[in-house]
Amino acid sequence: MSGLGAPHHPHRAEDLCAAGRELYERALREGRISTADAVGVPCLVDSGLLHPALDDPGRLEPVAPVVALHRLLRSAEGRIAEERRRETRLTEMFEPLIHLDGRRTESAADTPGLRLLDGNKRINSAITDAMAEASKEVLCIQPYTVRKESYARPLARQRDQALLDRGGRIRTIYQHTLRHAPDIIAYQEQLNGDHEVRTLDQVTDRLIVVDGRIAFLPANADGTLALEVRQPALLRHFVTTFDRLWHLATPMYPKAVQTPSLGGVTPRQRAIAALLTEGHTDAVIAERLGMNVRTARLHIAKLAATLGSESRAQLGYLIARSGVLDPDR
């Protein structure tokens, strides 16, 4: 092969040109080639795939592919390490200047450790990327929502199972209203590995914490915006909050534990009673407990019947007198 073909354009080692690959394969088969053959493809010598023969400077010998790969990877790692050192130096240089600057930005995109994600596709992509690097534990708080994105469930199952296969752990908190939801139960049964589910009457907004190093939470009411958090102080707060809720929650999977009724008042009715005494409307109660308004009103009616209430005003009085909200009961 000579250098009389199409002109050679500079490129990176990982983008080896067709002419270079052909000549390198020939060198591997024949053991060596003449320097004249490589004139038109200088990328092979530049990237270290060919080197002059010790006994004949007019010939070129191929470097073993394994050796070349290792050398190029080490070079790439060196560049990455240098970029990280550069990031550190830049951060150290600008941090005191940022503190001196009296102006503040409200944009998450300009805040260190925070990134605003727009749209379900981008949000799911970011979560998938974070899960792909996870190796320890993922914490999830999943309030009741009507899932419009039908593609999300299979994608979530795939990335959850991949983590479990790597020996990771998943802990999830749902609301009590989802304890018997067929799709929730089926989802857990389809996963194999170390995963547990517990439930509470009320939960926070949706939260996902991956390996304690990155978290995702909603940034607007309809969930089409999400905040990606890498700020250490916020992550510690999220993990601590989750652990405290986890210890208060009732096991659902793999072994369910039922909270007993007290004085004929079920745990769900006690949660409703607490919200009623705080003065919340039926709609707010339904939203907080993850149920529709009709179901909430049905539970309120049953609670009123159990306590012998004949009116909404009397119900609050009877709740207080009954002691159903006494933490010692």
Side-chain angles (χ1 to χ4, degrees):
M1 177 179 176
S2 68
L4 299 178
H8 184 272
H9 299 287
H11 58 76
R12 297 174 298 183
E14 62 269 28
D15 298 321
L16 185 60
C17 60
R21 182 183 181 90
E22 180 181 346
L23 186 59
Y24 183 54
E25 291 176 351
R26 176 186 157 196
L28 289 172
R29 289 193 302 268
E30 298 178 3
R32 56 175 60 183
I33 59 174
S34 70
T35 54
D37 289 339
V39 170
V41 280
C43 59
L44 294 178
V45 174
D46 294 343
S47 61
L49 296 180
L50 295 178
H51 64 83
L54 292 177
D55 59 344
D56 185 355
R59 310 284 287 178
L60 295 173
E61 294 179 341
V63 174
V66 173
V67 175
L69 174 61
H70 180 66
R71 184 183 300 161
L72 291 170
L73 288 176
R74 280 198 308 173
S75 175
E77 290 170 357
R79 291 195 300 272
I80 293 171
E82 176 57 32
E83 283 299 313
R84 287 174 177 166
R85 288 191 291 269
R86 180 172 178 269
E87 289 177 2
T88 300
R89 291 195 300 269
L90 286 170
T91 302
E92 291 174 349
M93 181 180 75
F94 277 95
E95 187 171 9
L97 300 176
I98 292 172
H99 289 301
L100 286 175
D101 185 5
R103 294 167 295 178
R104 293 292 182 266
T105 176
E106 296 182 359
S107 172
D110 298 328
T111 305
L114 300 177
R115 181 166 68 120
L116 191 63
L117 304 172
D118 186 1
N120 291 328
K121 186 175 182 180
R122 189 179 178 199
I123 293 169
N124 274 293
S125 177
I127 295 173
T128 298
D129 290 344
M131 290 282 289
E133 298 177 3
S135 60
K136 299 176 183 177
E137 183 177 50
V138 171
L139 311 176
C140 302
I141 296 178
Q142 298 281 16
Y144 171 78
T145 57
V146 178
R147 293 182 176 270
K148 297 180 180 179
E149 63 275 23
S150 58
Y151 64 87
R153 187 60 63 83
L155 177 62
R157 184 185 303 114
Q158 182 179 6
R159 64 195 181 203
D160 286 354
Q161 188 59 59
L163 170 63
L164 296 173
D165 290 341
R166 294 194 297 272
R169 180 188 185 195
I170 299 175
R171 288 190 287 161
T172 305
I173 298 177
Y174 289 107
Q175 288 158 299
H176 283 331
T177 49
L178 300 179
R179 289 183 69 85
H180 304 291
D183 59 332
I184 299 297
I185 296 173
Y187 184 84
Q188 303 306 323
E189 292 177 344
Q190 289 167 4
L191 294 176
N192 296 308
D194 186 2
H195 61 109
E196 297 180 63
V197 179
R198 295 186 180 185
T199 61
L200 285 169
D201 284 313
Q202 301 182 61
V203 296
T204 65
D205 283 339
R206 189 184 187 202
L207 174 68
I208 300 175
V209 183
V210 182
D211 277 357
R213 61 180 178 80
I214 180 171
F216 300 91
L217 61 155
N220 64 349
D222 63 8
T224 56
L225 290 177
L227 199 60
E228 179 187 282
V229 181
R230 295 177 183 266
Q231 212 285 331
L234 290 175
L235 289 168
R236 286 194 297 271
H237 173 74
F238 294 150
V239 171
T240 299
T241 299
F242 181 93
D243 284 337
R244 291 179 180 176
L245 292 175
W246 182 258
H247 289 298
L248 294 172
T250 303
M252 169 185 164
Y253 187 90
K255 184 177 181 180
V257 174
Q258 299 297 335
T259 303
S261 298
L262 297 176
V265 179
T266 67
R268 189 170 302 173
Q269 290 169 356
R270 287 203 306 275
I272 290 175
L275 294 173
L276 282 170
T277 59
E278 294 175 7
H280 294 297
T281 65
D282 294 353
V284 171
I285 291 172
E287 180 182 0
R288 293 275 291 271
L289 298 181
M291 60 181 71
N292 59 49
V293 175
R294 182 178 178 181
T295 301
R297 287 172 178 162
L298 179 61
H299 283 294
I300 293 171
K302 290 181 178 179
L303 176 63
T306 299
L307 298 180
S309 173
E310 298 178 356
S311 68
R312 186 75 169 238
Q314 186 185 25
L315 180 57
Y317 167 75
L318 292 175
I319 289 173
R321 194 182 71 171
S322 68
V324 295
L325 300 181
D326 187 344
D328 297 327
R329 291 195 62 175

